[in-house]
Structures are given as C-alpha cells and as structure tokens.
Amino acid sequence: MTWNLDTHLARTGTEPDPHTGALAPPIHTASTYARDSDGNPGAFVYSRLSNPTRQQFEEALALAEGGRRAMGFSSGMTAAMTICQALDPGDHVILPHDIYFGVRTLIANHFVRWGLEVTEVDQRDLNAVQEALKPTTRLVWVETPSNPQLNVIDIRAMARLTHSAGAQLLVDNTWSTPLITRPIELGADIVLHSVTKYLGGHSDVLGGALVFAKEDERCQRVVELSGEGGAVLDPFGAWLAMRGMRSLGPRLRHQCESALRIAKWLSAHSQVESVNYPGLASHPGHEIARSQMALYGGMLSFLVKGGAANALRVVNRSHLFANATSLGGTESLMEHRASIEGKGSPTPDNLLRVSVGLEHAEDLMADLDQALSA
Ligand SMILES: Cc1ncc(COP(=O)(O)O)c(C=O)c1O
C-alpha cells in the first residue's frame, strides 16, 4: 500500500519495538556492541559508525525525501562541512548570493584555504549560472527559498544546468522540508537539512542531515567522513528529531497558513516598504514557487520604512516574537539579520526575518501592528 507523506511522518519511529512493544522508540545510548564468540560483529559495531536510534531517524528522513541514503549530523553546519570535506582541492563550487550566512562564512574562512574555488551567483539568473559553470565545477548549492531574502530558485532548471556540466546539485531544504519541496524528485542529487529547525520543530535539538538520491561515490565519501570523523547526530537528538517529524504535517501547515495571512496583511501596512514571501502573487518567484512548492512556508521577511533604527525598534517592541536567531520552532521569532550577519552582510539593513510559530495569526498580527505603529 502506498501512503501519503503525512502518514509516513506521523508514524516516524512508531513501529512497535521488537523487545517491548513500545510505540515510542527506545533511545540507544550504547557506544559499543558485543561481537559473537567468533568475533563477528552484529548489525552494529560502534556508535560513531552507526547507532540504532540514529539509523531509525536516517531511514525515516531518506523515505520522506525520496532518497537512497540519509546521514544524521551533529548540526546543519557539520552536514555542510562534511559535504565540503568530500570535495577535492581545486574543485569549484557555485553558491547562491543569498544564502544562510553561516555556510558562506564557513566556506570563505576555511574551505577556500583548503583549495575549494567558490563563485557566488544570483541563481534567479540562469544565464549567470550557466556562465559561472567551469570544467572543474563539482557542486552547485541551492537554497530555496533563500535565507533571509526568500529568493525562489528553479530547482528543475538548476538540475539541468548542473548535470550538463557534470556536477552535482545540492539543495538546502531546511526551510521547506519534504512536506513542501521534494528536491530529489525535481532533480537534486543531495539534500541538506538543519534538523534544528522544522524537523526538530521545538527549538530543543541541534542536528543536521544529508540525504543522497543515489549511493554514489560522494555519498560513500560522506559515509566515511562521518564514520571516521564522528560529527554525528547523538541518540537523544535523533529521538527528538523523530518526535518532531511525527507532528511536522499539522505544525507546518498551520505555520504556512499563518505566514500567508501575515504576509498579505504586512504588504498593506503603511509602515512596511515590502514583504518577501513566495506565496504572494507579487513575489517575483511566485510562479516557480507554485510549480515546486506544495505550500509557501512558515518563513517571511519584510523591509521596515525608516531604516535600520526603525526595524530594530519593531523587534524590541514586539511581545510575541522573541528576538532570537533560528527558526522552525513552535514559538514565533523575529530577527534583524543585518546585525547578526555583521559587516559585509548583503542583507538590507531594514530587513526583519520572521519565523511564524503556532500562536494564533490574529494575535501575531495585532502584536506586529502595535510594534510597527508605535
Ligand atoms: C538554511 C539553513 N541551513 C543550514 C543552517 C545551519 O544549521 P545549524 O544551525 O543546525 O548548524 C541554518 C541555520 O540557521 C539554516 O537556516
């Protein structure tokens, strides 16, 4: 029988435990596993290499993303770091010009020194992407919608271009999750997640993941780097991630519904210059979003009239949006990204990024209204 993704997600880790019948998975904290009398290992050897709780999470995520193999990491950034480590000096990588700044910083500060060559491109312009491709290009990195400006990138077109150059396409699907966007079905080779965000969903776990469409050479290198280096998701983190995945459907649907209402309402607000949300018909990427997103996401950003000082005032006057970094939890967050990203940030200095939580949309709009109108 074929199930809907919601059903798979709701059942994450709920198969009865063979030893106890428990419907919530046990947390296997063992670091090592017994061999038989001939010295042969069983299914598990040592938890750096693989762990039953982590494996349960990895199998659930691979299924949700339609990939062949998933690997859990200790953070989204260790997932990003490991994929870079699986490239060789001299390899060329194309990054989007609007990307989670942590990834840009990590690559610029550390992997360029290792010998990776990097070009940043506005991937909304496919000709610019085509021109940036080189014979040495091995990886094209896409983030859609992008953080924090919510640019929408055409995954199908990027896959075509990337593959024509013999490179692989990685899509950071943290903001969308497989419930909204299915990058592997659209042609991506690798999907990256910060599990810390919507998959965990409660701002209480730090984790990351890579999902591979095929068990190819790059996947094998990542398996080796993960097992030999050990930047893996811990068992309790894997357990929390599975618990989050079970409620992802209803949580994210509610957040998307509220985000759309808030984005429309903000667009008409006298103190708002513009709103970035792919669900708005006026968003330049709306048509692409319609073709590759089932919903438009729980994230939005908007530009406040009156510059950075006014934007910061709005953050400080809000009661319901915590002024904190991160996203995808049950609580709403609002952040002045340019301050966080620091000098050289390409983010407009009057931009506020919002992660819409599970509070009632009307309360969130009332709170924003008082914060904007003061
Ligand atoms: C799109 C995206 N990718 C990756 C990361 C990094 O994940 P983590 O904080 O789990 O290391 C983040 C964090 O904000 C993110 O927003």
Side-chain angles (χ1 to χ4, degrees), residues 75-77 100 143 147 172 174-175 194 196-197 206-207 327:
S75 68
M77 290 309 295
Y100 169 55
E143 203 181 90
N147 182 358
D172 184 332
T174 298
W175 280 29
S194 167
T196 318
K197 316 301 183 195
L206 190 71
L327 56 112

Side-chain angles (χ1 to χ4, degrees), residues 73-80 99-103 141-147 172-176 192-197 205-209 299 325-327 335 337 353:
F73 291 88
S74 54
S75 68
M77 290 309 295
T78 51
I99 180 173
Y100 169 55
F101 90 112
V103 172
W141 193 297
V142 164
E143 203 181 90
T144 181
S146 67
N147 182 358
D172 184 332
N173 206 26
T174 298
W175 280 29
S176 284
L192 184 142
H193 277 283
S194 167
V195 173
T196 318
K197 316 301 183 195
V205 58
L206 190 71
M299 296 295 298
T325 202
S326 202
L327 56 112
E335 199 180 25
R337 286 302 292 175
R353 190 188 78 181

Side-chain angles (χ1 to χ4, degrees), residues 276-324:
N276 302 316
Y277 186 68
L280 297 175
S282 56
H283 187 285
H286 181 63
E287 283 312 311
I288 300 169
R290 270 165 53 97
S291 78
Q292 65 184 29
M293 298 175 81
L295 298 157
Y296 298 111
M299 296 295 298
L300 59 95
S301 61
F302 64 103
L303 307 191
V304 179
K305 283 188 184 163
N310 262 1
L312 281 162
R313 204 168 302 130
V314 172
V315 174
N316 292 328
R317 287 189 54 87
S318 161
H319 302 297
L320 280 181
F321 292 83
N323 179 6

Side-chain angles (χ1 to χ4, degrees), residues 94-168:
I94 294 183
L95 294 183
H97 77 305
D98 188 49
I99 180 173
Y100 169 55
F101 90 112
V103 172
R104 178 194 292 118
T105 309
L106 173 83
I107 294 178
N109 289 355
H110 302 286
F111 284 98
V112 169
R113 274 202 270 173
W114 275 37
L116 288 192
E117 196 198 342
V118 179
T119 310
E120 285 188 19
V121 181
D122 181 345
Q123 297 171 345
R124 292 170 299 180
D125 179 353
L126 295 175
N127 290 329
V129 177
Q130 173 81 68
E131 275 167 28
L133 287 163
K134 301 180 182 201
T136 51
T137 308
R138 296 287 172 267
L139 190 72
V140 177
W141 193 297
V142 164
E143 203 181 90
T144 181
S146 67
N147 182 358
Q149 302 199 51
L150 288 108
N151 296 326
V152 174
I153 308 304
D154 185 338
I155 298 175
R156 288 185 191 89
M158 291 298 291
R160 266 195 307 275
L161 282 174
T162 303
H163 294 155
S164 72
Q168 289 193 306

